Amino acid sequence: MNQQPIGVFDSGLGGLTAVKELQRILPNEDIVYFGDTGRVPYGNRSRETIQRYAEQDVAFLLEKHVKMVIAACGTVSSVANAPANLPIPFTGVVAPTAEAAAKATRNKRVGVIGTTATIRSGSYRTALRKIDASIEVFERDCPLFVPLVENGWISPEETVTKLVVERYLTPLKQAGIDTLILGCTHYPLLRPFLLETLNGGVTLIDSGRETALFAANELRKLDLCNQPNRQGSSLFYVSDSTEGFQQIAEIFLGCSIQHHVGRIDIERY
Ligand code: DGL
């Protein structure tokens, strides 16, 4: 048993998809979340910059005495090296997500959407092919998705969002995929738009959710879970203004996080 919190980080809001799932499956765990809202997006930056940002994000979480670090960011997981000599367990999103997609596909035609850096890295393609070399992978970077999510353009009446989703996803639909990896943790917030465009028959694999399930299993295996009879709480830190984050995070998490959001200077780490 271990009473320390679980550390989760992302370049912005996207990692909340993992937090939401962790809160559901491990309600007795405390969570410390860092969203690097002052430097988002990571997805169009160089490998060196993403590596440096990821190291700073991990250093901040270590200062919070977390017992595990989850890089709930497709870009970091695809491009940066896992931190060397980390004294606690660490996971990114690529391996758990690829496993789930390989299990889900029936026709072995899997689509992957992600940031430009993620798609350029080929991380999901490599992971899928390692599991099953007969899987055909169809990739598409969707650089406009993250700004749409970070600006909260996610309610069903947003015509611009609908058009952008159609533009990116139509070629994947035409390729006959039956499974689509949401290779960026922001994308589940666009789920209704994605489903509408794909028009049935395609299983969406949510990288935040799959990674949370994987992390929970790891904690159980390593006997690092918290006491069962307690209610966990979550603290959120960002590197830019707390208000905008709080507003969208609350819609997404479905609960108030007022008094639980703080701002930090990530360049100190
Ligand atoms: N959350 C990031 C990811 O999963 C996307 C946002 C960004 O580009 O920083 O790739």
Side-chain angles (χ1 to χ4, degrees), residues 79-96:
V79 176
N81 294 322
N85 307 322
L86 199 64
I88 53 172
F90 172 88
T91 182
V93 297
V94 175

Side-chain angles (χ1 to χ4, degrees), residues 10-13 16 32-39 57 60 150 235-246 249 257 260-266 269:
D10 178 45
S11 55
L13 280 156
L16 295 176
V32 176
Y33 180 82
F34 174 62
D36 198 358
T37 52
R39 304 191 295 193
D57 301 345
F60 167 70
E150 290 284 327
L235 290 176
F236 301 86
Y237 294 89
V238 288
S239 51
D240 198 357
S241 128
T242 55
E243 286 114 49
F245 174 84
Q246 186 186 325
I257 57 168
H260 294 269
V261 190
R263 182 175 180 166
I264 61 144
D265 176 8
I266 192 65
Y269 293 86

Side-chain angles (χ1 to χ4, degrees), residues 50 52 56 75 112 117-119 179-180 190 217 225 229 234 261:
I50 296 169
R52 180 167 67 81
Q56 289 176 312
T75 303
V112 182
T118 295
I119 297 302
T179 303
L180 177 64
L190 299 171
N217 264 340
C225 291
N229 303 322
S234 302
V261 190

Side-chain angles (χ1 to χ4, degrees), residues 97-98 101 110-114 124 128 179-184 203 205 207:
T97 308
V110 176
V112 182
I113 52 175
Y124 282 101
L128 283 164
T179 303
L180 177 64
I181 290 182
L182 312 187
C184 166
T203 306
I205 308 290
S207 53

Side-chain angles (χ1 to χ4, degrees), residues 72-174:
C73 175
T75 303
V76 167
S77 311
S78 296
V79 176
N81 294 322
N85 307 322
L86 199 64
I88 53 172
F90 172 88
T91 182
V93 297
V94 175
T97 308
E99 278 291 342
K103 266 197 203 120
T105 184
R106 293 287 159 259
N107 71 0
K108 310 235 179 211
R109 297 172 80 81
V110 176
V112 182
I113 52 175
T115 63
T116 302
T118 295
I119 297 302
R120 208 180 277 146
S121 77
S123 59
Y124 282 101
R125 170 183 291 268
T126 309
L128 283 164
R129 290 277 175 77
K130 218 157 116 189
I131 300 166
D132 180 346
S134 70
I135 292 177
E136 275 194 85
V137 185
F138 301 87
E139 296 158 302
R140 173 78 224 220
D141 63 333
C142 306
L144 294 179
F145 279 3
V146 169
L148 289 169
V149 171
E150 290 284 327
N151 284 287
W153 289 29
I154 52 177
S155 56
E157 67 273 12
E158 295 291 356
T159 331
V160 172
T161 307
K162 195 168 147 47
L163 289 173
V164 172
V165 170
E166 268 172 20
R167 177 90 178 250
Y168 284 141
L169 291 203
T170 301
L172 295 177
K173 193 176 151 194
Q174 286 167 347

